[in-house]
Amino acid sequence: MINAETFIETARAHGFSRYIGVPCSYLTPFINYVINDKRLAYISSANEGDAVATAAGLTLDGGRAVAMMQNSGLGNAVNPLTSLALMFAIPVLLIVTHRGRLGQEDEPQHALMGRITGGLLDLMGIPWEPFPTHERHVKPVLQRIDRYCTEQQRPYALLMERGAVATHALQAETIPSGVGARCLRNSVAGNSIQPSRNDALREIIRHTPADGSILIGTTGYTSRELYAIDDRSNQLYVVGSMGCASAFALGVSLARPDLQVTVIDGDGAALMRLGNFTTIGSYAHNNLTHVLLDNGVHESTGAQATVSANVNFADIAAACGYALALDGSSLDVIRQLYARQDVTGARFAHLRIKPGIPGKLPRPQASPQEVLRRLVKHINPGE
């Protein structure tokens, strides 16, 4: 058994100062120590997949992030691990608790995952080792992780057993209070002709200059159209991990509070991970803008209808703590969204658009890793 301080302070020396995750009883002393220390950052995520995506975004300033979860929730993180962190080559440290391991009595729901946790990490190509339980092992373990993350730019995992960390009392506030407490909620009048996605993207581009802003597109046709209109160095195309663009953008916005970060979501993607609205509403600052372009269908898979017609996304954003929540079916929604610079917290706009795509829509020619490296170089020109 080790003290939380030993691991966390050694990890801090290697740049790990941001922690995000979903609690497990094994992690309690670990999380409590991070929350108590105001020099560290802890984000309570709605689910494990969003935790991985936000941790990935938190690394864009060159820092390191830790995503924590119970192994029963590792399945929730498989998609963002494989199609975001691994595909984009983003080094995230995973601390996964090993519930239900062979020979350990536990609740029945942990039995299967307990047997296959290590094998699941192996299948994803994520190296792992046991979380250190002796003080003398902490430093060499973190040295190996630091070296691997630096050289390979890939995730690394530690499996934490029961009782690995001594108890540590919680003394501080766990969740930011008062963020977005007074949401400005407004529906913007428009005409009966809905804009196209192309029209909306061009309007967003006009409000996201290359200097001083980052523009992140969700997977599917949104990123492909964004690329076709103008492939700028301040743009990132989240070509996989459907639904995780907003979680990733939250991490980017917290890592780079000096930049305005806009994420363009889709109705299908937003519906897939509605829980991230709650995390954004609680933790985001006023440099995060969340735009949802809603055409009512999963267009890239054959235009099957989503249930977005029955969902009031702006009301959801307002209820989750966003500072500004607009909706409508004209480009004035976008214009008013960016005109409001006087709010404290995240801004949200739900714009209904018509289905359809331009003919011969290209795909990005650069690899996801190349696009990410281009963005990192753009926002960190001196490094």
Side-chain angles (χ1 to χ4, degrees), residues 149 219 249 314:
C149 289
T219 190

Side-chain angles (χ1 to χ4, degrees), residues 59-114:
T59 68
L60 256 66
D61 67 343
R64 295 273 172 80
V66 182
M68 300 178 289
M69 66 195 71
Q70 190 178 105
N71 60 340
S72 61
L74 185 59
N76 288 334
V78 168
N79 181 256
L81 282 170
T82 56
S83 60
L84 180 63
L86 286 165
M87 184 176 65
F88 282 87
I90 301 174
V92 172
L93 173 58
L94 308 174
I95 297 180
V96 182
T97 61
H98 198 180
R99 302 291 299 265
R101 69 177 178 84
L102 191 64
Q104 180 186 81
E105 186 176 342
D106 209 328
E107 297 295 328
Q109 68 268 24
H110 298 302
L112 176 58
M113 184 57 84

Side-chain angles (χ1 to χ4, degrees), residues 33 63 69 90 100 125 198 236 260 263 271 273 285 294 380-381:
Y33 185 94
M69 66 195 71
I90 301 174
N198 202 271
L236 183 74
Q260 290 295 319
V263 57
L271 288 167
R273 292 190 178 271
H285 305 309
D294 179 5
N380 303 295

Side-chain angles (χ1 to χ4, degrees), residues 242-254:
M242 183 172 172
C244 289
S246 63
F248 179 78
L250 172 62
V252 175
S253 71
L254 294 173

Side-chain angles (χ1 to χ4, degrees), residues 39-64:
R39 299 169 299 168
L40 298 168
Y42 176 71
I43 298 172
S44 178
S45 188
N47 67 64
E48 295 83 1
D50 285 339
V52 169
T54 301
L58 284 166
T59 68
L60 256 66
D61 67 343
R64 295 273 172 80

Side-chain angles (χ1 to χ4, degrees), residues 36-371:
N36 290 342
D37 191 332
K38 298 302 182 184
R39 299 169 299 168
L40 298 168
Y42 176 71
I43 298 172
S44 178
S45 188
N47 67 64
E48 295 83 1
D50 285 339
V52 169
T54 301
L58 284 166
T59 68
L60 256 66
D61 67 343
R64 295 273 172 80
V66 182
M68 300 178 289
M69 66 195 71
Q70 190 178 105
N71 60 340
S72 61
L74 185 59
N76 288 334
V78 168
N79 181 256
L81 282 170
T82 56
S83 60
L84 180 63
L86 286 165
M87 184 176 65
F88 282 87
I90 301 174
V92 172
L93 173 58
L94 308 174
I95 297 180
V96 182
T97 61
H98 198 180
R99 302 291 299 265
R101 69 177 178 84
L102 191 64
Q104 180 186 81
E105 186 176 342
D106 209 328
E107 297 295 328
Q109 68 268 24
H110 298 302
L112 176 58
M113 184 57 84
R115 294 197 301 271
I116 68 172
T117 297
L120 182 56
L121 290 167
D122 289 338
L123 282 172
M124 290 189 286
I126 298 175
W128 62 274
E129 62 180 285
F131 188 91
T133 55
H134 297 283
E135 303 278 340
R136 67 180 182 275
H137 295 156
V138 171
K139 186 175 181 179
V141 164
L142 283 165
Q143 286 175 334
R144 283 196 297 274
I145 293 170
D146 182 43
R147 184 165 55 251
Y148 181 86
C149 289
T150 300
E151 295 175 354
Q152 302 298 323
Q153 295 293 299
R154 293 166 62 87
Y156 196 100
L158 294 174
L159 294 190
M160 179 186 284
E161 304 292 347
R162 177 191 295 165
V165 184
T167 59
H168 192 89
L170 180 64
Q171 301 169 345
E173 182 79 24
T174 59
I175 302 296
S177 58
V179 177
R182 297 179 180 177
C183 178
L184 177 60
R185 172 72 176 89
N186 189 31
S187 293
V188 180
N191 52 46
S192 59
I193 302 176
Q194 294 178 341
S196 67
R197 184 193 293 108
N198 202 271
D199 294 333
L201 292 176
R202 290 181 184 276
E203 187 65 36
I204 293 169
I205 287 172
R206 280 193 280 272
H207 294 279
T208 54
D211 292 332
S213 71
I214 296 174
L215 183 55
I216 298 168
T218 190
T219 190
Y221 284 138
T222 296
S223 281
R224 289 177 63 181
E225 280 199 56
L226 186 61
Y227 166 78
I229 293 169
D230 194 356
D231 181 31
R232 302 179 299 167
S233 57
N234 69 321
Q235 295 176 179
L236 183 74
Y237 316 115
V238 181
V239 296
S241 55
M242 183 172 172
C244 289
S246 63
F248 179 78
L250 172 62
V252 175
S253 71
L254 294 173
R256 291 300 303 263
D258 57 314
L259 298 174
Q260 290 295 319
V261 179
T262 294
V263 57
I264 308 170
D265 224 338
D267 47 307
L271 288 167
M272 184 174 285
R273 292 190 178 271
L274 276 175
N276 196 54
F277 278 67
T278 65
T279 313
I280 291 176
S282 292
Y283 290 96
H285 305 309
N286 60 359
N287 69 322
L288 180 59
T289 301
H290 187 178
V291 182
L292 197 161
L293 302 182
D294 179 5
N295 63 4
V297 297
H298 292 288
E299 193 152 45
S300 64
T301 61
Q304 301 89 355
T306 71
V307 299
S308 67
N310 299 321
V311 180
N312 195 317
F313 289 102
D315 280 355
I316 290 172
C320 288
Y322 284 66
L324 175 67
L326 307 177
D327 62 2
S329 57
S330 77
L331 293 180
D332 284 339
V333 173
I334 304 299
R335 298 180 186 118
Q336 290 191 27
L337 176 70
Y338 286 98
R340 294 305 301 257
Q341 300 291 329
D342 56 339
V343 297
T344 302
R347 295 176 293 179
F348 176 80
H350 174 206
L351 175 61
R352 294 196 180 275
I353 61 173
K354 59 186 178 184
I357 59 171
K360 298 182 179 179
L361 193 62
R363 299 179 185 273
Q365 295 302 300
S367 71
Q369 293 183 27
E370 290 169 337
V371 175

